[in-house]
Every structure is written in C-alpha cells, then in structure tokens.
Amino acid sequence: MPGRRPERRPERLPVRAVATAREDLDVIVARDPSVRRRREALLHPALPALWTYRLAHALHLRGHRLAARLVGNLGRLASGGVEIHPGATLGRRVFVDHGAGVVIGEMAVVGDDVTIYHQVTLGAVGWWRDNGRAPGARRHPVVGDRVVLGAGATVLGPVLIGDDALIGAGALVTEDVPAGARVTAPPGLVTVRRPGPAAGPTAGPTAGPNAGPTAGPNAGPTPEPDLTLEESIEYAADH
C-alpha cells in the first residue's frame, strides 16, 4: 500500500554467521600485531575453538549435549588446547591470543571485547565445594566487557570481574574485582650470585685437627656476595 513502510525482516542465520566470522577475523588483525590481513587470520590457532564453540553452544541450548561436547572436543584438538564448554556464554569480539591451555567452564560468562591470553582458567573451585551448592547455582566466573586476562591468570568460583578490569599474568582471583581495577601477581625475584671459591686440596677429613665445623665433604655452601650487572656479564663471557 502507498505510504506504508516495508516490514523489516529478521536477519537470516547464514548472514549473521558470516558477519560474525568477519568480525572475528577483524579482531585478530586488530589485536595481534603479527597478523596483518584476514587471510592470515584464518590460520590463527584460537579461531577453530571460537567457531566450533558457537556451533556447540547452539546444540547445547537445544538439548543436544552429546553432540555439543563432540563438536567442542574437535575444536579443542584443532586449536591446540583451547577448551570452551558448550554451556559457557561468550560475547562478541572475544580474542584468545596464542590459543594454548585456555579453559572456560560451563557456567562462565565472558563479555564483549574481552582479551584472553594463553594458560587462562575460568573455572570452579572444586567438586568438593560445588557438590554442596544448590542445584543450578553458578560455579564459574562472570567476566565483564573489555576485560584483559593475562597469561596464566586463574579465576575460580562464582566471582564477578567488573568491566575494564585487568587481571595480570599469573594472578589468582577468588573474590570479586571492581570495574576498572587491576590484579597483579608478585613479580619474580632476580638474584645474581658471585660463584664461591673452589674447595682446596686439603678440604675434607684430612684438613687437620684445627679444621672448623664446616670442614669436610658435608660442608655447607660458602656465602656469595651479589654481583653487579657488569660483573655478571663478564663472568658469563669468561665461563
């Protein structure tokens, strides 16, 4: 009829799937400096895990749990170790870098524009705790939008990670994290030691009657003073 606005038809599933796949490729190009174009992004190791997850998630929601787990296992093999449970909920533009050793549990919720590095776990505390929860109670974390999860970060239990939070590499999170907060693990302690003097020919039981209590084969290590950076480089070059 004249003057009547045409009805907007819902977007078909294949069109939406293609648009999402392009979005995934664009995210890889944008966040991985080693990838420069979409063709190269097709070989990104985490991409099979994301694409198979979406199929597995759709099967899971329709009650096809066994088929969903099978598709999820195939994605894990193809990605080199990214395990996303079909029951988990992932938002748009989720980026999994390197794709090795990532675990996302069944009830985990991941928001939009989240970056996940390798060896990240979004898991439960343990069966001994989960068996005591009420049926249907959440066991896994909820991660907000634009969160960054550093390499080796572990988030356990039904905790909430607020929007724009940063979980540093190696950090363990078991409590809620406010939006915009940072959680960091203690950095490793670097100690450079000067090599001790070599044991002389008289060390041991034959050192004589006046040998101190540390003489002999079981003597403890000699305290070693710290080396400066220059001394460390010279020692490494000489040995």
Side-chain angles (χ1 to χ4, degrees), residues 61-131:
L61 293 178
R62 287 165 175 77
H64 305 297
R65 295 177 60 89
L66 291 179
R69 293 301 292 265
L70 177 60
V71 173
N73 287 341
L74 292 176
R76 178 183 179 183
L77 292 175
S79 63
V82 178
E83 181 179 341
I84 307 175
H85 193 283
T89 303
L90 269 62
R92 298 175 58 186
R93 298 176 298 276
V94 174
F95 175 58
V96 181
D97 200 7
H98 298 297
V102 173
V103 178
I104 301 177
E106 177 185 13
M107 293 184 173
V109 178
V110 179
D112 296 338
D113 300 296
V114 172
T115 299
I116 302 174
Y117 287 92
H118 51 286
Q119 303 294 333
V120 166
T121 299
L122 302 178
V125 176
W127 60 266
W128 55 89
R129 183 77 62 84
D130 295 335
N131 287 349

Side-chain angles (χ1 to χ4, degrees), residues 14-166:
V15 176
R16 187 166 66 249
V18 171
T20 302
R22 288 178 177 174
E23 191 174 60
D24 291 336
L25 296 175
D26 290 339
V27 167
I28 292 174
V29 174
R31 300 190 201 174
D32 191 340
S34 67
V35 179
R36 294 173 175 81
R37 60 188 65 184
R38 283 181 179 175
R39 291 182 182 178
E40 192 175 353
L42 286 169
L43 300 178
H44 195 274
L47 199 59
L50 288 175
W51 285 357
T52 55
Y53 154 76
R54 293 202 177 94
L55 174 58
H57 185 63
L59 293 171
H60 182 86
L61 293 178
R62 287 165 175 77
H64 305 297
R65 295 177 60 89
L66 291 179
R69 293 301 292 265
L70 177 60
V71 173
N73 287 341
L74 292 176
R76 178 183 179 183
L77 292 175
S79 63
V82 178
E83 181 179 341
I84 307 175
H85 193 283
T89 303
L90 269 62
R92 298 175 58 186
R93 298 176 298 276
V94 174
F95 175 58
V96 181
D97 200 7
H98 298 297
V102 173
V103 178
I104 301 177
E106 177 185 13
M107 293 184 173
V109 178
V110 179
D112 296 338
D113 300 296
V114 172
T115 299
I116 302 174
Y117 287 92
H118 51 286
Q119 303 294 333
V120 166
T121 299
L122 302 178
V125 176
W127 60 266
W128 55 89
R129 183 77 62 84
D130 295 335
N131 287 349
R133 302 185 191 276
R138 189 162 52 86
R139 308 188 310 272
H140 299 96
V142 173
V143 179
D145 297 339
R146 300 173 300 278
V147 172
V148 176
L149 299 164
T154 302
V155 186
L156 301 179
V159 299
L160 174 63
I161 309 299
D163 296 346
D164 302 295
L166 188 151

Side-chain angles (χ1 to χ4, degrees), residues 164-183:
D164 302 295
L166 188 151
I167 311 300
L172 172 62
V173 178
T174 57
E175 299 178 354
D176 292 349
V177 176
R182 293 182 175 228
V183 181

